[in-house]
Amino acid sequence: MRPVAESDVFSGAVDVRADFPIFSRQSDRPLVYLDSGATSQKPAVVIEAQAEHLRSHNANVHRGVYALAEEADAAYDGARRRVAAFVAGQPQATIFTKNATEAINLVAYSWGRAHVGPGDAVLITQMEHHANLVPWQVLCRERGASLRYLEVDEHGELSLEQLDAELARGDVRLLAFAHISNVLGTINPVAEMTERARAAGAVSLVDGAQAVPQLAVDVGALGADFYAWTGHKALGPTGIGVLHGRTELLEQMEPFLTGGDMIASVDFQETTWNELPYKFEAGTPPIAEAVGLGAAVDYLSGLGMERVRAHERSLTAYMLERLAEVPGLRVVGPPTAERRGGLASFTIDGIHPHDIAELVDRAGVCIRAGHHCAQPLMRCLGVGATARASVGVYNDRADIDALIDALQAGREVFGL
Ligand SMILES: Cc1ncc(COP(=O)(O)O)c(C=O)c1O
């Protein structure tokens, strides 16, 4: 008898592919989309919510007194309330940005430039996306601070002992790290890490770009001072990201960008800032995108994030099992799906990752290849690039089977 595999533990698969119009597009090849780590596909309810807003409720926000403008205000502010509630955040401490990258830059500029100085340190990890690395590099260089890294071990995990040792040095002002690594898939122990940072007097920032689309996130329970994520990976539109911050910190911070909605009053020489969250939303915000993101989080809530995670965990376990059948294939990151999000990055002896992605595309399979905006991590792993397959709620086992078949066919092309 076949032993019970990790992928068999969960059987209540989610079947929502019909909700996503892209899977009905006419093409000479079936669409096997395994690149949700880069961006997710969108359900019809998101596309329609955004279109309906533009069709019937479009006006600028927080400016007009006419009825149509009030509809737009209600749509925008209502979207913020739903997005905040989705991760158990507070609406006034939920700031809409352009993407996760801008959310992190906001903290680096507004909080970082006021609190990090010569002799201080910013502590990040070797597994960070450039979005959660370069802003800290620039800040540290500008302020004469040092940037230190927590190491990634051979299973793609961080060490809490190393975190304790780094914090014990007494100079760490900020700890910034990914909730889920976009390369390794590692799910980091966020609450344990933020608690340690707080005990050491450091502020914490969590990059939740990969986590919010696939886990039930409660920003309060996670204990991060700042939590950043991005709409387009969470079934929402591009052009909108989210920053949740601790209200006291946001209130003390100076604005990041200036002009437009973020002012209370302007005189020839002086300006006073608007209240939260508007203080951090300069210019016309992403209104239709917020409406789309509101529809996306409603859709995800309707499915239930526990189910979404269970579905993707089961698929990831299945993917790990099936990838192990491919000769010469090496997966990086945690060995089981329990400790990882819905992705697997891998190399195959004798085939460059870009060739792998091109070969599987011949069978309509979309995966990513490259350094995944994590070049320092690639150096730690001793590779220039990896191929990465990442799942979404609309994937099923047949997609994984198509990937494996395409990889096996690709090996043959290379005479392996
Ligand atoms: C872990 C992680 N952080 C940040 C980002 C940046 O997201 P965005 O490009 O939407 O700002 C990504 C996107 O790939 C990511 O995977």
Side-chain angles (χ1 to χ4, degrees), residues 7 19 44 110 216 356:
S7 64
D19 294 345
S110 294
I356 298 175

Side-chain angles (χ1 to χ4, degrees), residues 37 99-101 129 131 180 182 207 209-210 230 232-233:
N99 46 39
T101 306
H129 187 282
I180 296 183
N182 64 312
D207 171 1
Q210 295 291 339
T230 200
H232 67 95
K233 295 185 202 281

